[in-house]
Amino acid sequence: MGILDGLMGNASEADLNAVAKDLEQIVTEGERVEKAFKIIRDMIVFTNKRLILIDKQGMTGKKVEYHSVPYRSITHYSVETAGTFDMDAELKIYISSTAQPISKQFRKDNSIFDVQRALATYVNA
């Protein structure tokens, strides 16, 4: 997957070394970036300790929100695939003590399954 996939909203695996360098101030001692997916400007990062959702905001993307979710706080998750006339797939992550899930939109391709597979691996570990 290349630049065009990222622009279309498809998740593509990100370079782990580059992500680890970008998150040096965020990760804790002994925490490792193990898998990362880029969706346009945003990222979904799996470490050995938690899930980090990165939301770049504004025109320049200099304002960044880091949403940190310990795996033990994820109660369940769902994947809604795109239909014939529906171009978007959606991943919903439900966190304990919150009513609304965290939602991420994907385009109609199989990249949502790669993210879901990683989520299943880390949440069920």
Side-chain angles (χ1 to χ4, degrees):
M1 288 194 223
I3 294 172
L4 187 57
D5 283 331
L7 293 174
M8 295 297 291
N10 299 335
S12 59
E13 283 204 52
D15 178 81
L16 293 181
N17 292 328
V19 173
K21 184 175 171 95
D22 288 345
L23 294 179
E24 282 178 340
Q25 296 178 321
I26 302 298
V27 296
T28 63
E29 187 174 322
E31 186 174 17
R32 295 178 318 278
V33 173
E34 296 187 345
K35 204 159 204 46
F37 296 92
K38 187 166 181 67
I39 306 171
I40 306 175
R41 296 189 314 174
D42 298 343
M43 292 189 73
I44 300 173
V45 179
F46 295 88
T47 75
N48 60 320
K49 297 184 178 194
R50 61 187 162 150
L51 175 67
I52 303 171
L53 302 167
I54 301 170
D55 180 16
K56 292 194 175 181
Q57 303 170 3
M59 296 271 301
T60 63
K62 291 200 184 261
K63 182 177 180 181
V64 181
E65 177 183 17
Y66 298 92
H67 192 125
S68 178
V69 181
Y71 295 123
R72 69 181 177 278
S73 297
I74 299 173
T75 59
H76 65 285
Y77 47 90
S78 67
V79 171
E80 180 182 304
T81 60
T84 304
F85 300 107
D86 184 12
M87 296 303 291
D88 292 331
E90 186 174 21
L91 172 68
K92 292 181 182 176
I93 303 170
Y94 295 84
I95 310 299
S96 60
S97 302
T98 60
Q100 295 298 315
I102 296 169
S103 295
K104 293 291 179 185
Q105 299 290 323
F106 295 79
R107 294 292 172 228
K108 187 176 184 177
D109 74 341
N110 288 329
S111 64
I112 192 170
F113 294 112
D114 296 334
V115 175
Q116 183 276 334
R117 188 176 302 111
L119 189 57
T121 299
Y122 289 97
V123 169
N124 297 323

